[in-house]
Amino acid sequence: MDFLFGFNKPTPQDEFTSILTTVHDPIELSIVRSILDGEKIPYRVCERGSGGMVKVIAGYSTFGTDIMVPAETLAMAQELLDAYRNGDVVEDELLEADGEDGEEA
């Protein structure tokens, strides 16, 4: 039914942003925002269609929320998001610097 109202199309974007993902759940939105904040990747959150108004009225939107990042950070952001969705462990640079065998000094 979304195609009838144009909700299946991404929100307008400028030349400096790329769509990382579209989420339909406020919990997943919070998780993705937390991942991006933790890595200091700038992002913009845009509601699809009339989702912004629906969210104000009902507190929840089923139209979806686009998360956009700058084009130069898209690959790194996608890698982090894929690692989260696949349940992979992402090692911190600080952990690698402590020791090669993973033991504490």
Side-chain angles (χ1 to χ4, degrees), residues 80-95:
L80 290 167
L81 191 59
D82 289 343
Y84 157 70
R85 288 182 173 161
N86 293 331
D88 296 338
V89 175
V90 178
E91 300 229 359
D92 236 0
E93 293 174 0
L94 296 175
L95 292 176

Side-chain angles (χ1 to χ4, degrees), residues 3 7 16 20 29-30 38-41 48 51 57 61 75 77 79-81 83-84 87 93 96 101-104:
F3 67 92
F7 296 140
F16 300 107
L20 173 63
L29 175 62
S30 295
E39 294 298 320
K40 295 182 177 43
I41 297 174
R48 285 190 171 202
I57 295 169
S61 171
E79 184 179 324
L80 290 167
L81 191 59
Y84 157 70
E93 293 174 0
E96 294 171 4
D101 57 359
E103 294 179 13
E104 293 182 18

Side-chain angles (χ1 to χ4, degrees), residues 2-3 5-12 19 22 47-49 63 66:
D2 287 347
F3 67 92
F5 300 102
F7 296 140
N8 61 334
K9 297 178 183 164
T11 54
I19 295 178
T22 301
E47 299 293 333
R48 285 190 171 202
F63 297 126
D66 291 331

Side-chain angles (χ1 to χ4, degrees), residues 8-30:
N8 61 334
K9 297 178 183 164
T11 54
Q13 57 184 349
D14 60 33
E15 60 195 79
F16 300 107
T17 58
S18 300
I19 295 178
L20 173 63
T21 189
T22 301
V23 297
H24 297 278
D25 183 327
I27 295 171
E28 186 177 10
L29 175 62
S30 295

